[in-house]
Amino acid sequence: VTTLPAPSAPANVQATVPFVINFQFTLAADQEYYFKARLGQGSSLTKGETFNPESETWLGDTDSWNSFPIVKTDTSGNWSGTVTARTKSSVTIGDNTLKIYLRKLATATNIESDPTTIIVNQAPVPPPTPTQEPQISLSEFMPNPGSGDEWVEIYNRGNTQALSMLTLAAPG
């Protein structure tokens, strides 16, 4: 059974936030392999997702191997590069195991890396979007004119819709 070296990843990552994995290995020359990042606790490494830049999709552990990024070894059997991964939102906060799995195209045999431990921290909570208060003023009005209708002019100095709930009615 071939075992690959442990991947190099940040020691701390935030849940659901993409991070870069550096990885290198030597296998058969001029061969293509599917590349999958697996992450989780214990033997359940199902909390990671791998980004496939070709299809611009995030892939989970249960997605088909032929959907994952493909890497190709050189004439000496070496490959070195980076892959982007992230955790699923259901990941357990704290220590998690990260492994890389490869599968040679047209085979059903997985090759896994040695594990590395990463600490998953809570995802940042974005600050609330500030809302603008309506800046409404009554600029002119004409009550009881000698002739014509009564009227009112309302001015909005802000850039928010402010009059959607306004109702004018005659007394009585």
Side-chain angles (χ1 to χ4, degrees):
V1 174
T2 303
T3 302
L4 304 169
S8 175
N12 288 277
V13 299
Q14 292 179 325
T16 71
V17 176
F19 60 93
V20 175
I21 299 170
N22 295 297
F23 194 63
Q24 58 187 6
F25 63 88
T26 302
L27 290 170
D30 292 317
Q31 296 296 308
E32 292 182 316
Y33 297 88
Y34 295 113
F35 190 109
K36 182 188 290 192
R38 297 190 68 202
L39 184 138
Q41 293 184 324
S43 62
S44 178
L45 301 181
T46 60
K47 302 300 181 179
E49 294 180 319
T50 306
F51 184 69
N52 185 337
E54 188 173 304
S55 62
E56 296 186 3
T57 55
W58 286 100
L59 302 162
D61 191 61
T62 59
D63 286 307
S64 172
W65 271 102
N66 62 5
S67 300
F68 281 84
I70 296 173
V71 297
K72 183 176 182 180
T73 57
D74 63 18
T75 56
S76 299
N78 298 311
W79 183 84
S80 178
T82 62
V83 173
T84 302
R86 69 179 181 191
T87 71
K88 292 182 177 179
S89 59
S90 59
V91 70
T92 302
I93 302 302
D95 288 355
N96 280 265
T97 298
L98 171 67
K99 285 186 175 185
I100 299 301
Y101 279 67
L102 300 177
R103 179 178 282 187
K104 187 176 174 183
L105 273 65
T107 70
T109 304
N110 297 337
I111 306 166
E112 68 181 77
S113 74
D114 284 332
T116 191
T117 299
I118 61 172
I119 299 169
V120 178
N121 299 302
Q122 192 68 35
V125 177
T129 304
T131 57
Q132 288 190 330
E133 292 294 319
Q135 298 176 6
I136 303 298
S137 62
L138 187 60
S139 57
E140 294 184 58
F141 68 96
M142 178 59 69
N144 298 321
S147 66
D149 294 328
E150 295 178 332
W151 58 270
V152 62
E153 182 178 283
I154 300 171
Y155 179 68
N156 181 1
R157 292 185 306 274
N159 61 4
T160 59
Q161 182 178 0
L163 302 178
S164 62
M165 300 299 289
L166 181 66
T167 302
L168 298 177

